[in-house]
Amino acid sequence: VSFQNATTATQDHDGRWTGEIHDGWDIGGNANGGYLLAVTGRAMAMAADQPDVATITAHFLRPGPAGQVSIQTEIAKQGRRFSTVQATMSREKSILTSLGAFTDHAANPDDRSFMSQNAPDWGDPLDQPRIEGTDTFPPPIVDRVDVRLHPDDNFYLGPSGVPRMRGWIRLLDDEPWDSIGLLLASDVFPPTIFNADFGVAWVPTIELTVHVRNRPAPGWLRCEFTSRFVTGGFVEEDGLMWDSDGALVAQSRQISLLPRPQS
Amino acid sequence: VSFQNATTATQDHDGRWTGEIHDGWDIGGNANGGYLLAVTGRAMAMAADQPDVATITAHFLRPGPAGQVSIQTEIAKQGRRFSTVQATMSREKSILTSLGAFTDHAANPDDRSFMSQNAPDWGDPLDQPRIEGTDTFPPPIVDRVDVRLHPDDNFYLGPSGVPRMRGWIRLLDDEPWDSIGLLLASDVFPPTIFNADFGVAWVPTIELTVHVRNRPAPGWLRCEFTSRFVTGGFVEEDGLMWDSDGALVAQSRQISLLPRPQS
């Protein structure tokens, strides 16, 4: 099943969609948050009648095991350049609730730009091992994509000590990216804190926001996730995503709960 | 009118509030986005029955001139530690739609922390001139708070060339901050790009997300806003807010449209 097919819901009637959380996009039986947002976001983009995400926010309410879900969408405002949509994915109870603005990035002006940094050059991703999924750890979802870690951030070989996770990701079978794919990419890499001193345990995300800045070219994305502050039991994770042409395609930020120490 | 009173809505019935956009919190007749989010967010926190914001996102749909508004809140999930609420502020049409999670920061653990940077020391805010509001520029809202700019970022004396805006803010009459006040603080400083080469014009915000990391102490907040990327007609603005005790109290990010060149 392609990523496109694994994230496409069908419209039952205005504002009501039936989707499916496909098997294998999970971490210990519950679908990855970026994948859940991609399923929801694709229905939202269709409701908005726009091809691209401008910005989307998800709040993760309950785990999402594989199976059928319903998605309710409501247009908050249909504008010329942006359409704003609210959505909730549920199965009996709410799994995820989202708010997003959708646009057509091909029609947005790109005559003035300022880049404080350019796309990083970390060498060839094929020089790094592909992370392979297991039933537990690494989780099944990494088999649905091709993820390679920057050699200095490969915590499987030992944590770097820096709460940062850099690497590459591509879809399988050379499937091209679209802006919905960036929602997946924003949440598939291992948590930054696996490279720091906070233990390797499930990190529950409260909220994730992704700004899509350009429509991504096919091929490898270069991604960098960094955490700067752990306080009040929270940790944020900031992401930058660059496409194979070196364009900045997305910025992400999520706020998560720090895992409690294992007793 | 205190900030507290200028942002408190009254409950009509379950999930329905009457609020007021008070006069003077505006930029050219339309209320500041951070102020609108504070009014909406305070109703959401009351609906959630939690004292603090954990994370809140606003999409700005239409301008908000002074006057009465209605706020509809809906609980997406009432949990033990977090309650998630959707809300829309409207007057005939929707002005702002929001999604947030609320908590009690006093009950959150603070036994483990990691800070990549400490609160900055920029000297004494009283050594810098207070920005005073006018009918147009600077806008009226700066008279409702006490804002001082870092001397290197005071674009009124000439742009620095760096898309950054640092400074201090306090409420009037020593009114203490609460976590709702941080929503205001996240959007009151002049846009970062006034210090760069993109012209001084209204910068329409599409989306603003604020993560409140600790409940703020009374007194001056130190705030730093930075933009790293202008692309596709968008500019993001990342904020850090520190309280008078030197605690990190909030992180913010907004995505805005770059103003079009004046013809």
Side-chain angles (χ1 to χ4, degrees):
Chain A
V1 182
S2 67
F3 170 72
Q4 170 88 39
N5 286 339
T7 53
T8 300
T10 56
Q11 188 166 22
D12 302 326
H13 54 80
D14 209 35
R16 177 88 187 197
W17 309 73
T18 296
E20 192 182 337
I21 299 176
H22 286 251
D23 212 26
W25 297 84
D26 64 294
I27 299 162
N30 295 313
N32 167 268
Y35 170 72
L36 291 176
L37 180 56
V39 174
T40 310
R42 197 178 294 287
M44 293 165 82
M46 289 179 75
D49 199 23
Q50 290 282 9
D52 295 303
V53 176
T55 169
I56 192 166
T57 291
H59 282 241
F60 299 97
L61 306 177
R62 290 183 184 83
Q68 192 173 301
V69 288
S70 71
I71 301 165
Q72 268 194 275
T73 58
E74 193 178 341
I75 307 284
K77 183 185 172 193
Q78 189 100 41
R80 273 189 307 274
R81 193 169 157 200
F82 297 98
S83 291
T84 308
V85 182
Q86 301 156 328
T88 299
M89 170 192 273
S90 55
R91 185 191 293 141
E92 292 167 37
K93 292 183 168 182
S94 304
I95 294 170
L96 176 163
T97 184
S98 177
L99 183 54
F102 298 82
T103 189
D104 179 357
H105 280 304
N108 286 328
D110 208 7
D111 48 334
R112 292 182 298 166
S113 78
F114 169 84
M115 308 293 267
S116 64
Q117 59 187 102
N118 290 316
D121 181 4
W122 299 325
D124 186 348
L126 295 175
D127 290 343
Q128 306 304 328
R130 181 178 166 192
I131 304 179
E132 295 189 51
T134 69
D135 283 350
T136 52
F137 185 78
I141 187 172
V142 296
D143 270 346
R144 299 290 182 187
V145 285
D146 184 345
V147 174
R148 320 251 170 163
L149 296 183
H150 187 291
D152 295 344
D153 295 349
N154 190 341
F155 72 99
Y156 292 106
L157 309 174
S160 70
V162 179
R164 181 171 60 180
M165 199 64 74
R166 293 167 295 180
W168 299 262
I169 184 172
R170 63 178 174 186
L171 295 174
L172 302 184
D173 302 322
D174 290 322
E175 184 180 351
W177 292 104
D178 62 5
S179 75
I180 301 296
L182 299 173
L183 310 183
L184 174 73
S186 73
D187 195 44
V188 165
F189 282 81
T192 53
I193 61 166
F194 286 7
N195 266 323
D197 229 4
F198 293 100
V200 172
W202 185 55
V203 181
T205 300
I206 301 172
E207 181 263 355
L208 165 65
T209 294
V210 184
H211 296 170
V212 175
R213 302 295 293 264
N214 281 295
R215 200 181 289 171
W220 290 105
L221 296 177
R222 282 160 278 183
C223 302
E224 173 165 1
F225 301 92
T226 309
S227 298
R228 291 184 293 164
F229 304 101
V230 171
T231 174
F234 299 96
V235 57
E236 96 288 354
E237 193 172 293
D238 278 353
L240 289 176
M241 286 167 252
W242 309 85
D243 72 6
S244 57
D245 289 340
L248 178 78
V249 290
Q251 281 187 291
S252 66
R253 176 175 286 171
Q254 56 177 271
I255 187 87
S256 304
L257 293 179
L258 198 65
R260 299 308 303 162
Q262 309 290 315
S263 56
Chain B
V1 181
S2 67
F3 170 72
Q4 170 89 38
N5 286 339
T7 54
T8 300
T10 56
Q11 188 166 23
D12 302 326
H13 55 80
D14 209 35
R16 177 89 186 197
W17 309 73
T18 296
E20 193 183 337
I21 299 175
H22 286 250
D23 213 26
W25 297 83
D26 64 296
I27 299 162
N30 295 312
N32 168 268
Y35 170 74
L36 291 176
L37 180 56
V39 175
T40 310
R42 196 177 294 287
M44 293 165 81
M46 291 179 74
D49 198 23
Q50 290 282 8
D52 295 303
V53 177
T55 169
I56 192 166
T57 292
H59 282 240
F60 299 97
L61 305 178
R62 291 183 184 84
Q68 192 174 300
V69 288
S70 71
I71 300 165
Q72 271 200 268
T73 57
E74 193 178 339
I75 307 283
K77 183 186 173 192
Q78 188 99 41
R80 273 189 307 275
R81 194 169 155 201
F82 298 98
S83 292
T84 308
V85 182
Q86 302 156 326
T88 299
M89 170 191 273
S90 54
R91 185 191 294 143
E92 292 167 37
K93 293 183 167 181
S94 304
I95 293 170
L96 177 160
T97 184
S98 177
L99 183 54
F102 298 82
T103 189
D104 179 356
H105 280 305
N108 286 327
D110 207 9
D111 48 335
R112 293 181 299 165
S113 79
F114 168 84
M115 308 294 266
S116 64
Q117 58 187 103
N118 289 317
D121 181 3
W122 299 324
D124 187 347
L126 295 175
D127 290 343
Q128 306 305 327
R130 180 177 167 194
I131 304 180
E132 295 189 51
T134 68
D135 283 349
T136 53
F137 184 80
I141 187 172
V142 295
D143 269 347
R144 299 292 182 185
V145 285
D146 185 345
V147 174
R148 320 251 171 164
L149 297 182
H150 187 292
D152 296 345
D153 296 349
N154 190 342
F155 73 99
Y156 292 106
L157 309 174
S160 70
V162 178
R164 182 170 59 180
M165 198 66 72
R166 293 167 296 181
W168 298 261
I169 184 172
R170 63 178 174 185
L171 295 174
L172 302 184
D173 303 320
D174 290 322
E175 183 179 351
W177 291 104
D178 62 4
S179 74
I180 300 295
L182 299 174
L183 311 183
L184 175 73
S186 73
D187 195 44
V188 165
F189 282 80
T192 54
I193 60 165
F194 286 6
N195 266 322
D197 227 5
F198 293 101
V200 172
W202 185 53
V203 181
T205 300
I206 301 173
E207 180 262 355
L208 165 64
T209 294
V210 184
H211 297 169
V212 174
R213 302 296 292 264
N214 281 295
R215 199 180 291 169
W220 290 105
L221 297 176
R222 283 161 277 184
C223 302
E224 172 165 1
F225 300 92
T226 309
S227 298
R228 291 184 293 165
F229 303 102
V230 171
T231 174
F234 299 96
V235 57
E236 96 287 354
E237 193 172 294
D238 278 354
L240 289 176
M241 285 165 253
W242 309 85
D243 72 7
S244 58
D245 289 340
L248 178 78
V249 290
Q251 281 186 291
S252 66
R253 177 175 285 171
Q254 56 177 270
I255 186 88
S256 303
L257 293 178
L258 198 64
R260 301 306 303 161
Q262 310 290 315
S263 55

